[in-house]
Amino acid sequence: MDNPLRDMVQEAFAPLGVLARATDQFQPRQGQTDMALAVADVVAHGGSLVVEAGTGVGKTFAYLVPALLSGERVLLSTATKALQDQLFARDLPRLVQALNLPVRLALLKGRSSYLCTHRLEMARQSSSLPDRTTVHLLAKVETWSHATTTGDLAELPGLDERSPLIPLITSNRDNCLGSQCPKFKSCHVNAARREALGADVVVINHHLFFADMAVRESGMAELLPTVRVVIFDEAHQLNETGVQFLGHQLGTAQLLDLTRDMLATGLQLARGLADWQGVSSLLERATRELRLVAGKRPGALKLRWTGDAPEGIHPEAWSLALQDLGAACVQALRALETVSELAPDFVRMFERVADIAQQVDAFLKPCAPEAVRWVDVTASQMRLMEAPLDIAQSVRDKLMSAKPQDASTSGATTDERARAWVFTSATLGDDEGLTWFTEPCGLESAKVLRVSSPFDYPNQASVYVPRHVVRPNDPAHSAQVAQLASDAVRRIGGRTLVLTTTLRALRAIGELMKQQLDGSGIEVLVQGEWPKRHLMERFREGAQAGEGGCVLVASATFWEGFDVPGDALQLVVIDKLPFPPPNDPLVEARSKRLEAQGRSAFNDYFVPEAVVALKQGAGRLIRRETDQGLLVLCDNRLVTTGYGKRLMAAMPPMRRLESEADLAQALEALKLAALTTASTTAF
């Protein structure tokens, strides 16, 4: 089939093509060109393409170049706001300039990423700011608010994403006043949406995409129908992100926030017109009674909910508590209805209560088929959860069956304009069909392409599995991992990332390494002690010449998206195989479904999940063609079990170290490499 776009892409990626002429760092790679041509084919003719592109392939250019050259409207979704900023501020402008294209770019995030000028004004007048630090930060935000054109809080340096100020100066779906807001005309969220509607390329994130699929309120409902090309980068996160939004959630913290807002708004704007104290107290009491039904629980727990009530809770008491909550919502709705014409605040409050009443009603009914319910419980809070086991049906029903609207024909659609879907990541499974990704995402009929990393792993990296370390279920495991890591860190002077699979191991290993490396001049950073951005910046700074190196002990989000090229990171230590927790209700339900189909939950779910997570963690090590590094996997199941061999086979082909002597030699080589680089840089 004729495809002029393919020829344009081939020319752009040629050794003397436009990319090579415009970008000094560009080097043509066969894998990158192969991926770009595959994307060009699906963009030209429509359909779905799934691409696993190993680290170093250059997948960003490989999907952006054909998308930009096509002249089509493009929606680009990635995993995090930080990656959004990188694409919008760095990668896209470079390519648009290199290709000399008149392309309009837009960045669209969720509400909580933008300053709400109405709530900023309210916060300024509030007498309940938590502390003096927050007051000073509010003044800084106010000064910035007069200069910003976007209102994107990412522009504001020093604003911690965990700051208690953020919910006071941003809006959410519950408290946004919409068109009734006195600041509606100057609203940064609305400005960002208008910008997106007029742009050729719009950069969003997966959370925003699925939130819109669930509630149709983020502006995507207008945007998506007019877009022909949709690209998901970091697509390995799609399924887990999607299930968060495509079910039901109801939290006691959300309910208590509502009662406080309703009481304050009622007394301020309609005092004496309803019994605000009584209505709010009724809803608050019903909320607290619902939590009390679960009894005292140590720590944070997930309670399975397989029948009429979560495990350990009497079904009759549970049902009665939910009914009382629903009745309290009805009383609140009646009060709000009588004053709805007085102020837009009451209209929005009515919608909030109605939405909660609807969620309560949903939880009083049986769980939806192909979904799972559970309750998250802490000492003081509770969240009721219902989620589909995967996003496959939603993808088939809401995405793949829809065609873009042709604005020139008043919303008509044609087969010739079938939408193009591209899904890509460095890790999407360990089989040729990438079924770990395609099955739960409903993409079994998509074309699949696997592109290997161009890195010379046998010469750039080595991997060591210490056989002397006890099994992960042994109480001594974390202590042995900490000791091994500390010994290695002393030899190379920091430059180490320790990845753990649990928060318990994170705390234990972090504390032990701090003790063991005390006085060494090597700083031990532990996730949770500082904001993520601060930890990453400090780690990179610690590797600069003249300073003692850094060690970062981390879990969760640091397994991916942590990019430290060069000698700043030479050693990655992983405490154990990252299997999903078997007692998690969602994991358990997925396992049972596979077993009901006559399949092996362990081989078809647990092992592929571990493969993807392990490849992500190992991927932190080698980021450039010149990097040298060592990966230590402290789980001897990798060399003593059959599934361990499968996991090792899925890893990049690093050189295998067999003994402690090999390990010592590899560490010495890394130390010398770092010293050589430092001396070369100094002169």
Side-chain angles (χ1 to χ4, degrees):
M1 201 179 298
D2 185 45
N3 183 1
L5 177 60
R6 187 181 178 90
D7 298 333
M8 295 165 66
V9 169
Q10 187 85 59
E11 190 280 329
F13 281 94
L16 298 177
V18 62
L19 295 177
R21 295 196 302 271
T23 310
D24 292 338
Q25 295 84 10
F26 178 77
Q27 294 181 344
R29 297 171 179 148
Q30 188 58 49
Q32 186 182 45
T33 304
D34 291 344
M35 177 179 170
L37 293 174
V39 173
D41 287 340
V42 77
V43 167
H45 305 301
S48 305
L49 172 68
V50 175
V51 186
E52 182 183 71
T55 307
V57 165
K59 61 183 171 68
T60 305
F61 275 29
Y63 64 69
L64 283 181
V65 170
L68 291 170
L69 289 175
S70 71
E72 300 284 0
R73 294 199 75 202
V74 179
L75 186 67
L76 173 56
S77 181
T78 190
T80 65
K81 288 184 283 189
L83 288 171
Q84 271 186 276
D85 291 334
Q86 178 180 309
L87 281 165
F88 179 73
R90 190 187 73 181
D91 299 331
L92 274 165
R94 285 171 59 196
L95 274 179
V96 167
Q97 184 178 13
L99 298 171
N100 193 27
L101 295 171
V103 174
R104 294 168 297 175
L105 307 175
L107 181 68
L108 185 59
K109 300 179 181 179
R111 291 179 187 275
S112 62
S113 296
Y114 298 97
L115 176 70
C116 174
T117 51
H118 175 57
R119 290 182 62 79
L120 173 65
E121 195 171 279
M122 293 171 62
R124 191 191 308 123
Q125 298 168 1
S126 173
S127 59
S128 58
L129 292 175
D131 51 44
R132 184 171 295 181
T133 302
T134 306
V135 173
H136 288 314
L137 189 56
L138 178 62
K140 185 177 180 181
V141 170
E142 191 169 5
T143 302
W144 166 78
S145 71
H146 298 303
T148 181
T149 57
T150 68
D152 187 345
L153 294 175
E155 296 176 0
L156 192 57
L159 182 60
D160 183 357
E161 59 193 19
R162 303 175 299 179
S163 170
L165 181 63
I166 288 182
L168 301 178
I169 59 172
T170 60
S171 69
N172 56 42
R173 193 166 71 93
D174 285 341
N175 59 33
C176 177
L177 300 179
S179 60
Q180 301 299 312
C181 178
K183 303 286 187 180
F184 180 74
K185 288 185 178 179
S186 59
C187 174
H188 292 300
V189 174
N190 290 326
R193 291 176 180 173
R194 287 194 299 269
E195 192 81 12
L197 286 170
D200 302 300
V201 179
V202 183
V203 183
I204 64 167
N205 59 59
H206 303 340
H207 284 84
L208 182 61
F209 185 88
F210 283 107
D212 179 74
M213 279 185 66
V215 299
R216 289 293 179 200
E217 65 85 44
S218 68
M220 292 275 296
E222 297 171 276
L223 177 64
L224 184 60
T226 65
V227 172
R228 259 216 68 236
V229 179
V230 185
I231 300 172
F232 292 96
D233 196 1
E234 301 296 316
H236 64 281
Q237 294 192 16
L238 269 185
N239 186 49
E240 295 307 318
T241 301
V243 297
Q244 295 177 34
F245 291 96
L246 300 178
H248 300 289
Q249 292 189 32
L250 181 62
T252 56
Q254 168 194 5
L255 286 162
L256 293 175
D257 284 345
L258 172 63
T259 63
R260 285 189 289 268
D261 290 349
M262 184 164 57
L263 178 61
T265 305
L267 293 178
Q268 182 181 359
L269 301 178
R271 183 184 292 270
L273 298 183
D275 181 10
W276 300 113
Q277 190 71 54
V279 169
S280 299
S281 295
L282 184 65
L283 186 55
E284 181 182 357
R285 186 164 59 250
T287 299
R288 297 195 186 281
E289 288 295 330
L290 181 67
R291 169 61 191 88
L292 289 173
V293 168
K296 292 183 178 180
R297 304 278 177 171
L301 296 175
K302 290 181 181 289
L303 305 181
R304 297 175 187 81
W305 185 351
T306 54
D308 296 331
E311 60 183 355
I313 301 178
H314 193 280
E316 188 175 341
W318 178 252
S319 177
L320 185 61
L322 279 175
Q323 290 174 34
D324 287 346
L325 181 59
C329 288
V330 170
Q331 291 295 321
L333 288 171
R334 287 174 181 164
L336 290 165
E337 195 171 24
T338 63
V339 296
S340 60
E341 295 182 1
L342 294 181
D345 307 66
F346 289 122
V347 176
R348 190 67 198 101
M349 194 74 66
F350 185 93
E351 292 170 350
R352 287 173 68 181
V353 179
D355 183 59
I356 287 172
Q358 189 176 13
Q359 297 296 336
V360 172
D361 186 58
F363 281 114
L364 279 165
K365 296 175 181 176
C367 183
E370 287 294 295
V372 60
R373 275 184 183 171
W374 71 95
V375 173
D376 290 333
V377 183
T378 66
S380 60
Q381 296 183 14
M382 171 189 284
R383 276 199 313 160
L384 285 64
M385 309 288 295
E386 180 178 311
L389 300 189
D390 56 41
I391 64 172
Q393 200 57 48
S394 291
V395 168
R396 295 188 196 104
D397 294 346
K398 299 181 181 181
L399 299 185
M400 295 306 162
S401 60
K403 291 184 174 63
Q405 294 176 358
D406 188 340
S408 64
T409 56
S410 303
T413 62
T414 62
D415 290 339
E416 287 75 23
R417 289 184 51 80
R419 186 174 280 133
W421 300 90
V422 178
F423 306 83
T424 184
S425 171
T427 51
L428 292 174
D430 69 333
D431 66 322
E432 288 302 314
L434 300 177
T435 54
W436 173 86
F437 174 74
T438 57
E439 283 188 5
C441 290
L443 296 169
E444 295 92 335
S445 61
K447 180 182 177 182
V448 172
L449 175 67
R450 303 184 76 187
V451 183
S452 300
S453 170
F455 295 153
D456 183 4
Y457 278 104
N459 288 316
Q460 288 184 253
S462 51
V463 58
Y464 176 59
V465 181
R467 293 175 180 265
H468 66 277
V469 172
V470 296
R471 284 211 162 200
N473 59 356
D474 191 301
H477 183 261
S478 289
Q480 292 189 10
V481 172
Q483 189 63 61
L484 184 150
S486 295
D487 291 344
V489 163
R490 286 193 191 91
R491 294 192 183 198
I492 63 173
R495 309 173 191 278
T496 299
L497 173 64
V498 180
L499 294 173
T500 70
T501 55
T502 65
L503 293 177
R504 179 183 296 177
L506 169 75
R507 290 188 287 266
I509 293 172
E511 187 58 39
L512 286 167
M513 291 191 70
K514 281 189 172 186
Q515 295 171 15
Q516 291 159 2
L517 294 171
D518 185 35
S520 66
I522 296 169
E523 185 177 6
V524 179
L525 306 168
V526 181
Q527 183 181 348
E529 295 179 346
W530 297 94
K532 182 178 180 180
R533 188 188 307 174
H534 176 89
L535 288 172
M536 291 193 292
E537 290 171 355
R538 179 62 199 139
F539 184 88
R540 294 185 180 107
E541 290 168 1
Q544 293 175 355
E547 288 194 37
C550 276
V551 178
L552 173 58
V553 184
S555 186
T557 55
F558 282 88
W559 280 72
E560 51 187 273
F562 184 43
D563 188 9
V564 187
D567 293 333
L569 176 58
Q570 293 183 312
L571 173 63
V572 173
V573 179
I574 294 178
D575 71 332
K576 66 177 180 179
L577 295 177
F579 287 116
N583 57 349
D584 181 278
L586 196 52
V587 172
E588 192 176 70
R590 288 169 174 168
S591 300
K592 288 180 178 177
R593 181 174 63 174
L594 285 169
E595 289 164 0
Q597 296 169 354
R599 299 168 65 181
S600 165
F602 185 74
N603 290 327
D604 294 344
Y605 178 52
F606 283 89
V607 173
E609 286 280 331
V611 163
V612 170
L614 194 61
K615 286 169 71 175
Q616 282 287 339
R620 302 310 96 214
L621 187 62
I622 303 298
R623 308 301 296 175
R624 291 179 182 165
E625 287 89 344
T626 55
D627 286 358
Q628 297 283 324
L630 168 62
L631 174 66
V632 178
L633 303 170
C634 300
D635 193 329
N636 57 28
R637 290 176 294 179
L638 283 160
V639 292
T640 60
T641 64
Y643 63 82
K645 294 180 176 65
R646 175 180 168 185
L647 284 156
M648 287 297 286
M651 296 285 287
M654 302 178 183
R655 184 173 69 259
R656 294 279 291 271
L657 305 180
E658 301 296 340
S659 66
E660 292 188 51
D662 290 344
L663 173 65
Q665 188 176 357
L667 290 168
E668 188 62 28
L670 290 176
K671 180 181 178 180
L672 289 172
L675 289 172
T676 301
T677 302
S679 61
T680 303
T681 304
F683 294 100

